Each structure stands twice: as structure tokens, then as C-alpha cells.
Amino acid sequence: QVEPPSRIAGVILVGIFDETLIAEYAQAGYPVVCVDFWSRHPAVDCVVVDCFNEGQVAAETLLELGHRRLFFLGNLTGRDQYRRPEPDAELFEAGMSRRLAQAGLTLDPRHVHYCARTAGSVDAVLDRWFATLDPRPTAGVVFDIGTCRAFRDGLIARGYKVPRQVSVIGKTLLGPAIDMTAVATDAHALGEMAIDLLLDRAVGHRRTAVRAAIPSTIVHRPG
């Protein structure tokens, strides 16, 4: 529940991917910091990783592995007719495209898709896209780690060996059991920066919204 300003100094929203919900908190009248999601709301502070740079690092990693045909699967956020690509994912895709352009390559628009964070949506992408392309891309990024798991499982179910035939990079690391390259987020730094922004606004030192990004890195490669 959104609490009244008299009872709370501010709120930190972590991993909230719903602009409607974020707006409800922002309109309550106290400072709001959104962590790990680049909100489009003009009154909300945001602390995210540098997704554009992450996209460049991911593309560089895949190029170093010898891949030249890449794909990108990003997240859709919102509900029903309000669904749209997640801003972080769009930045990541743009970073990938920049690095590929520097290598004289392009990210084929046919290899770029966005889907909701459900196994059914991922399967639909695989059915209408990856399994029918020829020549098939051999490497890529799936933005959300949950979507990444569903994508990997879908590939394996269709007879592909991951990562030997298809290299996949997941956005953010979730435990040692993920058998693929992943992008590590400095969650501790995100938390510290969120507190700093919240306190700064709560005591009246700042009225305008701030969008801050911190770097992250590739943390382990496929076996």
C-alpha cells in the first residue's frame, strides 16, 4: 500500500517494472528512488547499471568467442495494451549495436525480439523466430535471467547444446548453477547510491530527478 507522506520520508522501489505502480508512489508526495529499472517518470530518481556499456561488453565477449551472428531478446514491461520494451533493455541493445558496428557488423533486425517474462512468451519467440531462421544466429543476449533460463531450456528441448552450439549471455548473475556467461551487477553500490539520493532529496537539498548509472562486468564464461 502507498502510505501517506506524514508517515514516511521516502521509498526505494527495487526491481519494480510497472510504471503505473511507480507513478502511484511518486504522486504520494515523497521522494522515490527506483533501483534496477530506468523509470520514465519525471519525478523519480533512478539508480541503474550502465546498460549501454553492458551491451557493448556483452557483444565484445561474444565476438571474442568467435561469433558473428548475434541475437537479442529483451523484456516487455507493463500490462496488456500498455506493454512496451523495458528502457534498460533498449539501452543494452543499443550498446550491442554500437560495438558490432565498430567491428563492421550489424545486429540484424530479424534477430531482435522482445517478449513478456513468461515461459510461454519465450516459447512463442523460439517457435516463430529462432528455429526457422537460416542461417541461424549462434550467440546472443537474453536480457532477464528468468527469461534467459526459459530460453536456454527451450533451446535444449529443441535439440540445441547450450553453450556448445549456442552461446547465451544472461543479464545479471543468479547463483553458480547458471551454465552460461552472465553480467554481474554491483548491487551493493546500487543500494548505497539509492540511499544517498533519497536522503539528499528528503532533506530538501535537491528537487529535480536524477538518473544515475554504475558500471558492471562480465563475470564468467561458458565451459
Side-chain angles (χ1 to χ4, degrees), residues 34 38 128 141 192:
C34 193
W38 198 287
R128 73 175 182 268
V141 173
E192 286 188 326

Side-chain angles (χ1 to χ4, degrees), residues 59-74:
E60 176 67 30
T61 300
L62 294 169
L63 291 172
E64 288 176 356
L65 293 173
H67 298 294
R68 291 297 179 268
R69 293 192 300 274
L70 308 185
F71 62 80
F72 177 84
L73 179 61

Side-chain angles (χ1 to χ4, degrees), residues 87-205:
D88 293 1
E90 290 182 312
L91 285 170
F92 200 106
E93 180 197 335
M96 281 186 69
S97 296
R98 168 71 66 81
R99 181 61 190 92
L100 290 174
Q102 292 171 347
L105 302 170
T106 59
L107 186 59
D108 190 328
R110 297 175 304 161
H111 296 182
V112 176
H113 284 266
Y114 284 81
C115 71
R117 299 160 183 238
T118 65
S121 294
V122 174
D123 275 334
V125 168
L126 283 166
D127 285 341
R128 73 175 182 268
W129 165 48
F130 190 89
T132 59
L133 282 179
D134 188 22
R136 296 188 180 99
T138 57
V141 173
V142 184
F143 195 74
D144 173 78
I145 199 68
T147 309
C148 200
R149 277 178 163 163
F151 191 82
R152 179 195 58 183
D153 293 346
L155 290 176
I156 292 172
R158 289 164 174 79
Y160 294 96
K161 294 180 174 63
V162 181
R164 279 180 289 174
Q165 289 180 317
V166 183
S167 295
V168 180
I169 291 179
K171 176 69 169 64
T172 73
L173 180 64
L174 187 61
I178 302 297
D179 56 350
M180 64 182 71
T181 304
V183 181
T185 299
D186 188 346
H188 188 271
L190 287 172
E192 286 188 326
M193 188 175 289
I195 291 293
D196 287 343
L197 290 178
L198 183 65
L199 293 177
D200 191 42
R201 185 96 77 89
V203 298
H205 289 168

